[in-house]
């Protein structure tokens, strides 16, 4: 019983964080067709901005939403400075890998200079602990498990039930045709980055509430998000969401039965096998597009 | 009547390759305009320059008397110049309903959305039957209907069609030609690129033969030629 509870809980929790990160990566890929390697830095920056605002005396309930909104602006600015000028160039995918890596490293070192290397922590969403099925868990983690699906559902509703969401899905599928119905393609690109950065920042706030923060805290989640997105298929946002939870459960089960040490090796083993059988990812359809 | 569109000495291309060489033409003075000519000679490139997808290197493009060179595609759509591109690639994973909503995205078209939707459904009843179906699951003819329907949702003041009947089976093609004639009768001036000269002769009042990125011959009303003469112009070069 407690084994199952532990795996279930661990999987839901890790899956939530991975989904939150991966969805932003997928959103940017499907709309603009580039991989954003500063996505992990967005996560870190969101956490540090939240920490700073709390440090300045704001209550968490005010500080966290402000940090998320500030991250939207950061995402927009990053897009306008290192992605937009390159759109239409040949090799844009590779070039943007380099420019976003460079921007990310700049921001990371900026954070190190401003905030120093000492580990920090931000307040939990809800303080305290409880036991479920014989497993001790923090209320913070439970809050994350509950809030994440709500946010992902809201994102899905936005993309599928609003005119602006429709415009984002359209840009993801055909840029010329989007111009020809009068969409502001540049603004939609900015919006995709802004949403992705906000979600990453929120993931950072989630993480900073139960683990010590450092300027490099985003690199491992970025790697995981990439795995999730490759595994789930980059052609939609629902694929990566399912894949995120699947990988969350897989990791939880592995570390329960084989130990934390073996988990990454097993994960990569499964990933490689999957890609040999289905190179487009397990949940992917043939084309690029948001749904 | 003043021309609604005039292209004056436009030179344009891709990178270092120049496709259009100082091309000039006018539309809307006598009615619909047809463009024809061999493949790869710049008809599509010209339309892309007109709708703002491609920046000309030089020249002017006047829409309703205003130079639109350098305007964004969005601004040009906003002014009512609507371009249905070649090849109906559209939005493969959106439904017909989604496409129609996108067509009415510009502030100019938004107030007319319901009225234009009625028109599209009346023109293409088939689309209503498949309203929630994804574009990728439609036949070529149906996709072309969605392309044109989307453009009508944009409340066009001038409608540009790039090879609307390309690759369609004869029966479907005839239906589509009839629909395009209907659109024209509804009062929307057209610029149509077509390989089917018979259709162009029926639909348009003024023809341009585009060859090597320039106008080789202009056929004005009253100078109507027969099919044979046009074919000899076509292949005579
Ligand atoms: N995206 C592009 N990049 C480079 N060259 C192009 C591109 N599109 C078309 N061309 C070239 O421009 C020329 C004119 O093409 P196009 O305007 O499509 O002709 P048409 O519509 O008359 O068949 C052709 O030689 C074609 O190869
Ligand atoms: Mg063409």
């Amino acid at each position: 019983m407690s084994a199952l509870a532990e795996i279930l809980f661990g999987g839901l929790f890790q899956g939530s964080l991975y989904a939150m990160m991966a969805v932003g990566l997928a959103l940017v890929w499907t709309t603009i067709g580039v991989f954003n390697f500063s996505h992990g830095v967005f996560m870190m920056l969101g956490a540090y901005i939240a920490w700073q605002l709390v440090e300045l005396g704001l209550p968490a309930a005010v500080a966290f939403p402000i940090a998320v909104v500030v991250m939207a602006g950061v995402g927009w600015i990053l897009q306008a400075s290192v992605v937009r000028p390159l759109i239409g160039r040949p090799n844009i995918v590779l070039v943007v890998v380099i420019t976003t890596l460079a921007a990310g490293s700049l921001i990371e070192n900026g954070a190190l200079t401003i905030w120093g290397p000492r580990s920090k922590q931000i307040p939990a969403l809800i303080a305290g602990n409880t036991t479920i099925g014989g497993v001790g868990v923090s209320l913070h983690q439970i809050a994350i498990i509950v809030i994440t699906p709500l946010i992902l559902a809201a994102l899905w509703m936005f993309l599928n039930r609003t005119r602006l969401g429709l415009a984002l899905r359209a840009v993801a599928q055909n840029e010329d045709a989007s111009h020809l119905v009068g969409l502001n393609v540049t603004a939609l690109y900015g919006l995709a980055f802004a949403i992705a950065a906000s979600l990453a920042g929120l993931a950072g706030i989630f993480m900073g509430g139960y683990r010590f923060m450092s300027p490099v805290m985003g690199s491992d989640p970025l790697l995981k998000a990439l795995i999730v997105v490759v595994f789930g298929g980059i052609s939609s946002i629902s694929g990566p969401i399912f894949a995120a939870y699947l990988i969350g459960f897989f990791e939880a089960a592995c570390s329960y039965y084989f130990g934390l040490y073996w988990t990454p090796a097993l994960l990569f083993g499964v990933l490689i096998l999957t890609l040999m059988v289905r190179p487009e990812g397990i949940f992917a359809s043939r084309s690029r597009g948001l749904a | 009547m003043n021309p609604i569109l005039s292209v004056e000495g436009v030179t344009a291309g891709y990178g270092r390759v120049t496709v259009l060489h100082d091309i000039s033409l006018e539309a809307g003075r006598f009615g619909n305009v047809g463009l024809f000519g061999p493949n790869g000679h710049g008809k599509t490139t010209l339309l892309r320059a007109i709708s703002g997808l491609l920046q000309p290197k030089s020249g002017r493009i006047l829409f309703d008397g205003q130079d639109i060179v350098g305007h964004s595609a969005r601004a040009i759509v906003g002014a009512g110049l609507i371009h249905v591109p070649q090849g109906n690639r559209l939005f493969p994973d959106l439904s017909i309903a989604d496409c129609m909503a996108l067509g009415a995205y510009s502030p100019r078209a938004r107030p007319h959305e319901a009225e234009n939707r009625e028109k599209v459904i009346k023109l293409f009843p088939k689309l209503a039957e498949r309203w929630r179906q994804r574009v990728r699951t439609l036949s070529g003819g149906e996709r072309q209907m969605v392309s044109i329907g989307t453009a009508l949702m944009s409340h066009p003041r001038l409608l540009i069609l790039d090879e609307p009947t390309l690759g369609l089976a004869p029966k479907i093609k005839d239906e589509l030609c009839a629909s395009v004639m209907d659109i024209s009768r509804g009062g929307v001036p057209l610029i149509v690129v077509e390989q089917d000269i018979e259709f162009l002769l029926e639909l348009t009042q003024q023809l341009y033969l585009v060859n090597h990125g320039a106008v080789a011959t202009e056929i004005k009303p009253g100078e109507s030629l027969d099919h044979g003469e046009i074919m000899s112009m076509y292949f005579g070069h």
Side-chain angles (χ1 to χ4, degrees):
Chain A
M1 181 57 217
S2 94
L4 187 67
E6 196 158 315
I7 292 170
L8 207 63
F9 180 80
L12 279 174
F13 175 64
Q14 283 301 330
S16 302
L17 284 178
Y18 295 163
M20 203 73 146
M21 284 295 282
V23 118
L25 214 53
L27 187 71
V28 165
W29 166 261
T30 45
T31 43
I32 316 184
V34 297
F35 265 117
N36 170 24
F37 275 78
S38 50
H39 200 59
V41 170
F42 286 162
M43 181 182 192
M44 177 275 294
L45 202 57
Y48 271 88
I49 291 170
W51 177 85
Q52 185 65 65
L53 293 172
V54 170
E55 213 37 34
L56 290 174
L58 289 181
V62 179
F64 292 176
I66 293 180
V68 169
V69 171
V70 170
M71 283 315 296
V74 170
W76 188 290
I77 292 167
L78 191 102
Q79 184 275 153
S81 52
V82 306
V83 180
R84 194 189 297 168
L86 302 164
I87 284 169
R89 297 263 190 100
N91 299 326
I92 183 171
V93 177
L94 284 176
V95 176
V96 168
V97 167
I98 295 166
T99 57
T100 53
L101 267 178
S105 139
L106 209 69
I107 297 172
E108 209 168 83
N109 285 300
L112 192 64
T113 313
I114 297 170
W115 288 296
R118 272 219 356 242
S119 301
K120 301 178 166 42
Q121 204 162 13
I122 42 184
L125 296 171
I126 309 172
N129 295 287
T130 184
T131 359
I132 298 175
V135 183
V137 294
S138 73
L139 294 175
H140 177 71
Q141 287 172 304
I142 292 178
I144 291 171
I145 290 174
V146 175
I147 292 171
T148 303
L150 293 179
I151 289 173
L152 296 177
L155 179 66
W156 190 91
M157 293 289 279
F158 166 69
L159 287 172
N160 287 285
R161 294 281 178 274
T162 69
R163 209 180 264 267
L164 193 57
L166 173 62
L168 263 180
R169 286 186 292 138
V171 169
Q173 290 175 39
N174 189 340
E175 199 185 310
D176 270 354
S178 300
H179 281 294
L180 291 178
V181 292
L183 300 185
N184 188 343
V185 173
T186 321
L188 290 167
Y189 283 174
L191 180 66
F193 251 84
I195 294 172
S198 295
L199 293 174
L202 187 58
I205 293 171
F206 286 174
M207 201 155 124
Y210 77 99
R211 216 183 258 173
F212 284 111
M213 300 153 42
S214 80
V216 295
M217 67 187 275
S219 18
D220 187 57
L222 170 66
L223 183 68
K224 284 289 163 54
L226 279 171
I227 293 174
V228 164
V229 159
V230 170
F231 189 71
I234 36 191
S235 64
S236 67
I237 64 158
S238 46
I241 291 175
F242 289 125
Y245 283 99
L246 204 67
I247 288 177
F249 286 121
F250 180 83
E251 279 194 343
C254 278
S255 55
Y256 186 84
Y257 290 111
F258 307 107
L260 211 52
Y261 184 71
W262 286 104
T263 306
L266 286 167
L267 181 61
F268 276 109
V270 170
L271 179 73
I272 291 165
L273 279 178
T274 309
L275 291 181
M276 282 165 75
V277 183
R278 277 188 67 102
E280 69 277 26
I282 35 176
F283 301 113
S285 65
R286 294 118 306 188
S287 72
R288 224 169 84 185
L290 292 172
Chain B
M1 223 161 92
N2 281 329
I4 186 166
L5 184 82
S6 57
V7 173
E8 300 178 355
V10 165
T11 297
Y14 305 91
R16 257 167 279 151
V17 183
T18 302
V19 175
L20 299 175
H21 303 275
D22 198 20
I23 191 170
S24 299
L25 49 82
E26 278 180 2
R29 201 189 279 277
F30 307 110
N32 299 331
V33 167
L35 303 179
F36 68 108
N39 269 328
H41 281 234
K43 300 181 297 297
T44 296
T45 305
L46 172 64
L47 302 189
R48 290 175 61 84
I50 291 172
S51 56
L53 292 177
L54 184 74
Q55 285 304 315
K57 290 174 188 139
S58 62
R60 299 202 306 164
I61 300 173
L62 304 179
F63 179 58
D64 215 9
Q66 214 203 347
D67 192 356
I68 53 170
V69 168
H71 290 203
S72 67
R74 183 165 65 111
I76 292 168
V77 170
L81 199 168
I82 310 298
H83 172 190
V84 178
Q86 186 177 336
N88 62 52
R89 280 177 45 247
L90 274 168
F91 305 104
D93 283 314
L94 296 187
S95 67
I96 295 178
D98 287 339
C99 291
M100 296 307 135
L102 281 172
Y105 204 89
S106 82
R108 205 182 135 270
R110 199 80 60 92
H112 306 280
E113 186 171 6
E115 147 209 352
N116 283 331
R117 198 188 297 116
E118 299 264 305
K119 276 191 202 161
V120 171
I121 290 174
K122 217 168 132 210
L123 191 65
F124 302 121
K126 260 191 199 152
L127 296 187
E129 295 163 26
R130 303 176 183 273
W131 201 245
R132 300 269 156 213
Q133 211 167 306
R134 282 176 184 226
V135 168
R136 69 159 68 248
T137 64
L138 303 175
S139 71
E142 287 160 351
R143 277 212 295 276
Q144 194 60 57
M145 291 176 201
V146 178
S147 285
I148 295 174
T150 304
L152 292 176
M153 293 300 293
S154 303
H155 208 62
R157 292 179 55 219
L158 172 66
L159 185 59
I160 301 180
L161 306 176
D162 195 352
E163 307 216 20
T165 70
L166 189 71
L168 300 184
K171 188 170 161 285
I172 313 283
K173 182 174 163 179
D174 289 345
E175 279 176 37
L176 200 82
C177 290
S179 306
V180 173
M181 296 290 292
D182 275 350
I183 294 172
S184 171
R185 273 192 290 273
V188 182
L190 303 173
I191 298 179
V192 183
V193 172
E194 254 298 329
Q195 301 294 345
D196 182 346
I197 305 297
E198 306 286 352
F199 175 41
L200 278 189
L201 285 173
E202 189 182 352
L203 178 71
T204 66
Q205 285 74 44
Q206 190 180 11
L207 285 173
Y208 289 97
L209 169 62
V210 177
N211 209 341
H212 296 295
V215 171
T217 310
E218 181 187 352
I219 304 162
K220 286 202 184 104
E223 316 174 354
S224 64
L225 302 174
D226 67 22
H227 186 236
E229 281 173 276
I230 288 173
M231 283 330 253
S232 72
M233 281 166 47
Y234 210 125
F235 295 110
H237 290 269

